[in-house]
Amino acid sequence: MSLLMTVPPNLVQSIRAFRVTELQDEAVRLGQHFLYAHCLAGVTKQQVLGIIAESFQFPKGGGKNFDGLRDTLTETMFKAGVQTGFLVVLEQLPNTQKFDKEARETLLDVFRDAADYWAEKKVPFRVFYSFE
């Protein structure tokens, strides 16, 4: 039985009762890419985006800003070849003066756009996040 049986294939949601290790194991079992970023060390938008880009091993410049992140999560990954699916975890998104609620929502909107993009291509793209 799949851990994600009740989770739609393309969404962005709070991690809630899921454990990171269980999600990673499920990604492996499903043959999907597991992308993980622990973002707590980021204080500014640039730092958080840098942590995500480095953690996901994006090409240089991929994820430098919200538009670059969106392009990398969609077009760049699409051009890389056939994709079986993605399971993304953004853990401990910070709450700082320079990375406030508005910045967190914009970041999550980028991932929602990517989930919609991959839904059109019938590729699962699930994102789980937590806040500090």
Side-chain angles (χ1 to χ4, degrees):
M1 187 160 97
S2 174
L3 175 70
L4 303 173
M5 190 170 72
T6 61
V7 179
N10 298 82
L11 87 159
V12 176
Q13 77 170 38
S14 172
I15 199 163
R16 295 187 200 134
F18 292 107
R19 288 193 173 111
V20 173
T21 55
E22 292 172 344
L23 292 170
Q24 184 176 19
D25 291 346
E26 187 67 3
V28 170
R29 191 184 76 72
L30 295 171
Q32 297 180 2
H33 299 285
F34 180 75
L35 303 174
Y36 174 84
H38 191 274
C39 302
L40 186 59
V43 176
T44 66
K45 176 180 88 168
Q46 285 305 114
Q47 289 172 338
V48 172
L49 290 172
I51 290 168
I52 292 169
E54 184 178 323
S55 298
F56 293 2
Q57 299 180 350
F58 284 166
K60 188 141 178 92
K64 192 172 186 175
N65 55 43
F66 289 131
D67 290 334
L69 177 61
R70 182 180 290 106
D71 289 345
T72 303
L73 290 169
T74 57
E75 295 297 326
T76 302
M77 290 175 147
F78 179 73
K79 292 175 184 172
V82 176
Q83 303 296 342
T84 56
F86 302 90
L87 204 154
V88 179
V89 175
L90 302 170
E91 195 166 29
Q92 297 291 302
L93 289 171
N95 181 18
T96 66
Q97 189 174 4
K98 294 185 178 183
F99 195 79
D100 59 7
K101 181 179 179 182
E102 184 179 330
R104 286 193 313 273
E105 281 305 312
T106 301
L107 176 69
L108 294 176
D109 284 344
V110 168
F111 281 91
R112 288 181 188 104
D113 290 348
D116 292 344
Y117 174 91
W118 288 106
E120 290 176 11
K121 303 201 174 323
K122 308 282 191 255
V123 174
F125 189 94
R126 295 177 178 99
V127 180
F128 297 91
Y129 64 88
S130 67
F131 297 137
E132 84 171 296

